[in-house]
Amino acid sequence: MAAEFSVEAAIDAVFEDEKCDDGAEMLKTNKAVAENCEFNQPSISRLLFGCKIDAGSVFRRESFIWLEGIYRRMAARRSIRRPYYSEIKRDIPQELFLVLVQSIERHKSQIFNPPNCYVARNKKAIVVSFTSIVSVKNFLSSLSSKDVTGYMKRTLAGYRKGHRVNVLVTDTKDFALTYYIRKGQLIISFNFGEWNAYGFPQHDCNR
């Protein structure tokens, strides 16, 4: 028995084929447009290279971390080997630290020049050494845009209740920023003194 095949069925079959062809063509077109858009979009690296980072904002936040670290470490348990010396370690990109060093070197004020401040460098490291407490306070205040005196001293509690501690900066006890180029690491090193409740120093005053 022959299968019935109406005119309507034939027309529907023709349009169905056209729909399939149109759908396939549309998919190809959409794919081409997407590929073209993706090709024309700038890459992430290009976008990053086009950005300008505000070094002042970065170091403002960094200086807060340094100050809080200094304040905490003056009350921490004393090291047997160097009881009144401490370090803060930070990972910072070399390019960013170089901007900071250049800013110090270009500053015309005497507090950022010898004998109050020295900058030395070699293949392994870059060192900024402050030998004046005034220079240190001015430097940290410039970075943080605030008075830093309260971070440089404190009164202890607990079994050392009433003891006072202060950051010490002299020719022999410098406040130093040492940047190790290969590691990409900055070490902020400083010395401090401690006086008991009666005002007698607990640290060695001769060093």
Side-chain angles (χ1 to χ4, degrees), residues 3 9 48 70 76 84 89 94 97 111 133 139 145-146 191 202:
L48 290 174
I70 291 170
Y84 297 101
K89 297 180 180 180
Q94 180 181 346
F97 184 72
I111 60 175
I133 188 65
F139 170 68
S145 300
K146 65 185 299 184
N191 298 271
Q202 307 300 292

mmCIF file of all heavy atoms in Angstrom, residues 3 9 48 70 76 84 89 94 97 111 133 139 145-146 191 202:
data_model
loop_
_atom_site.group_PDB
_atom_site.id
_atom_site.type_symbol
_atom_site.label_atom_id
_atom_site.label_comp_id
_atom_site.label_asym_id
_atom_site.label_seq_id
_atom_site.Cartn_x
_atom_site.Cartn_y
_atom_site.Cartn_z
ATOM 1 N N ALA A 3 2.257 4.892 0.589
ATOM 2 C CA ALA A 3 2.125 5.834 1.702
ATOM 3 C C ALA A 3 1.550 7.142 1.199
ATOM 4 O O ALA A 3 1.888 7.612 0.119
ATOM 5 C CB ALA A 3 3.494 6.080 2.337
ATOM 6 N N ALA A 9 2.186 18.286 3.836
ATOM 7 C CA ALA A 9 3.345 17.606 4.418
ATOM 8 C C ALA A 9 4.605 17.924 3.637
ATOM 9 O O ALA A 9 5.686 18.114 4.191
ATOM 10 C CB ALA A 9 3.107 16.101 4.450
ATOM 11 N N LEU A 48 46.541 45.435 32.391
ATOM 12 C CA LEU A 48 47.374 45.664 33.571
ATOM 13 C C LEU A 48 48.507 46.633 33.271
ATOM 14 O O LEU A 48 48.822 47.509 34.079
ATOM 15 C CB LEU A 48 47.941 44.335 34.079
ATOM 16 C CG LEU A 48 46.936 43.378 34.721
ATOM 17 C CD1 LEU A 48 47.606 42.053 35.053
ATOM 18 C CD2 LEU A 48 46.343 43.992 35.981
ATOM 19 N N ILE A 70 55.810 47.562 64.813
ATOM 20 C CA ILE A 70 56.757 48.151 65.769
ATOM 21 C C ILE A 70 56.135 48.210 67.160
ATOM 22 O O ILE A 70 56.756 47.827 68.159
ATOM 23 C CB ILE A 70 57.172 49.568 65.305
ATOM 24 C CG1 ILE A 70 58.033 49.477 64.039
ATOM 25 C CG2 ILE A 70 57.930 50.306 66.410
ATOM 26 C CD1 ILE A 70 58.280 50.823 63.371
ATOM 27 N N ALA A 76 56.650 42.411 72.973
ATOM 28 C CA ALA A 76 56.752 40.961 72.804
ATOM 29 C C ALA A 76 57.828 40.369 73.702
ATOM 30 O O ALA A 76 58.611 41.088 74.332
ATOM 31 C CB ALA A 76 57.051 40.640 71.341
ATOM 32 N N TYR A 84 66.679 43.612 72.563
ATOM 33 C CA TYR A 84 66.077 44.917 72.250
ATOM 34 C C TYR A 84 66.273 45.294 70.783
ATOM 35 O O TYR A 84 66.516 46.449 70.444
ATOM 36 C CB TYR A 84 66.639 45.991 73.184
ATOM 37 C CG TYR A 84 66.278 45.706 74.626
ATOM 38 C CD1 TYR A 84 67.203 45.127 75.496
ATOM 39 C CD2 TYR A 84 64.998 45.968 75.095
ATOM 40 C CE1 TYR A 84 66.857 44.832 76.806
ATOM 41 C CE2 TYR A 84 64.636 45.674 76.401
ATOM 42 C CZ TYR A 84 65.566 45.101 77.252
ATOM 43 O OH TYR A 84 65.210 44.798 78.549
ATOM 44 N N LYS A 89 59.188 41.753 58.443
ATOM 45 C CA LYS A 89 59.456 41.295 57.077
ATOM 46 C C LYS A 89 58.212 41.478 56.207
ATOM 47 O O LYS A 89 57.116 41.103 56.596
ATOM 48 C CB LYS A 89 59.884 39.825 57.082
ATOM 49 C CG LYS A 89 61.192 39.580 57.826
ATOM 50 C CD LYS A 89 61.585 38.110 57.796
ATOM 51 C CE LYS A 89 62.898 37.886 58.540
ATOM 52 N NZ LYS A 89 63.312 36.457 58.525
ATOM 53 N N GLN A 94 60.035 44.905 43.659
ATOM 54 C CA GLN A 94 61.247 45.729 43.590
ATOM 55 C C GLN A 94 60.959 47.109 43.004
ATOM 56 O O GLN A 94 61.473 48.123 43.493
ATOM 57 C CB GLN A 94 62.305 45.022 42.743
ATOM 58 C CG GLN A 94 63.614 45.807 42.623
ATOM 59 C CD GLN A 94 64.638 45.084 41.760
ATOM 60 O OE1 GLN A 94 64.490 43.904 41.456
ATOM 61 N NE2 GLN A 94 65.672 45.784 41.355
ATOM 62 N N PHE A 97 59.555 49.426 45.613
ATOM 63 C CA PHE A 97 60.532 49.882 46.604
ATOM 64 C C PHE A 97 61.495 50.899 45.992
ATOM 65 O O PHE A 97 61.916 51.850 46.658
ATOM 66 C CB PHE A 97 61.312 48.697 47.175
ATOM 67 C CG PHE A 97 62.262 49.083 48.276
ATOM 68 C CD1 PHE A 97 61.788 49.456 49.522
ATOM 69 C CD2 PHE A 97 63.636 49.093 48.060
ATOM 70 C CE1 PHE A 97 62.658 49.835 50.537
ATOM 71 C CE2 PHE A 97 64.512 49.465 49.064
ATOM 72 C CZ PHE A 97 64.018 49.836 50.307
ATOM 73 N N ILE A 111 67.062 66.196 56.781
ATOM 74 C CA ILE A 111 66.702 65.017 57.573
ATOM 75 C C ILE A 111 66.718 63.737 56.744
ATOM 76 O O ILE A 111 66.757 62.635 57.297
ATOM 77 C CB ILE A 111 65.309 65.187 58.232
ATOM 78 C CG1 ILE A 111 64.231 65.376 57.167
ATOM 79 C CG2 ILE A 111 65.309 66.324 59.222
ATOM 80 C CD1 ILE A 111 62.825 65.421 57.744
ATOM 81 N N ILE A 133 66.131 59.884 65.078
ATOM 82 C CA ILE A 133 64.733 59.592 65.391
ATOM 83 C C ILE A 133 63.808 60.606 64.724
ATOM 84 O O ILE A 133 62.684 60.277 64.328
ATOM 85 C CB ILE A 133 64.508 59.565 66.927
ATOM 86 C CG1 ILE A 133 63.093 59.077 67.260
ATOM 87 C CG2 ILE A 133 64.781 60.920 67.531
ATOM 88 C CD1 ILE A 133 62.810 57.656 66.879
ATOM 89 N N PHE A 139 59.764 60.506 58.244
ATOM 90 C CA PHE A 139 59.602 59.561 57.139
ATOM 91 C C PHE A 139 58.294 58.783 57.266
ATOM 92 O O PHE A 139 57.496 58.715 56.324
ATOM 93 C CB PHE A 139 60.792 58.598 57.127
ATOM 94 C CG PHE A 139 60.639 57.432 56.197
ATOM 95 C CD1 PHE A 139 60.639 57.612 54.822
ATOM 96 C CD2 PHE A 139 60.494 56.145 56.697
ATOM 97 C CE1 PHE A 139 60.493 56.530 53.960
ATOM 98 C CE2 PHE A 139 60.353 55.062 55.848
ATOM 99 C CZ PHE A 139 60.354 55.255 54.481
ATOM 100 N N SER A 145 50.684 59.826 56.660
ATOM 101 C CA SER A 145 49.896 61.062 56.780
ATOM 102 C C SER A 145 49.270 61.198 58.167
ATOM 103 O O SER A 145 48.126 61.633 58.310
ATOM 104 C CB SER A 145 48.800 61.109 55.700
ATOM 105 O OG SER A 145 49.365 61.068 54.414
ATOM 106 N N LYS A 146 50.009 60.795 59.196
ATOM 107 C CA LYS A 146 49.510 60.915 60.562
ATOM 108 C C LYS A 146 50.684 61.027 61.528
ATOM 109 O O LYS A 146 51.828 60.726 61.175
ATOM 110 C CB LYS A 146 48.638 59.714 60.921
ATOM 111 C CG LYS A 146 49.386 58.391 60.955
ATOM 112 C CD LYS A 146 48.458 57.215 61.205
ATOM 113 C CE LYS A 146 47.744 57.303 62.515
ATOM 114 N NZ LYS A 146 46.908 56.114 62.786
ATOM 115 N N ASN A 191 65.838 49.192 66.789
ATOM 116 C CA ASN A 191 66.235 48.937 68.175
ATOM 117 C C ASN A 191 65.325 49.728 69.106
ATOM 118 O O ASN A 191 64.751 50.753 68.714
ATOM 119 C CB ASN A 191 67.689 49.368 68.401
ATOM 120 C CG ASN A 191 68.672 48.585 67.547
ATOM 121 O OD1 ASN A 191 69.162 47.538 67.933
ATOM 122 N ND2 ASN A 191 68.965 49.106 66.359
ATOM 123 N N GLN A 202 66.773 48.984 81.324
ATOM 124 C CA GLN A 202 66.970 47.537 81.328
ATOM 125 C C GLN A 202 67.850 47.095 80.158
ATOM 126 O O GLN A 202 68.350 45.975 80.146
ATOM 127 C CB GLN A 202 65.612 46.828 81.230
ATOM 128 C CG GLN A 202 64.605 47.274 82.279
ATOM 129 C CD GLN A 202 65.093 47.030 83.690
ATOM 130 O OE1 GLN A 202 65.223 45.876 84.114
ATOM 131 N NE2 GLN A 202 65.373 48.094 84.424
#
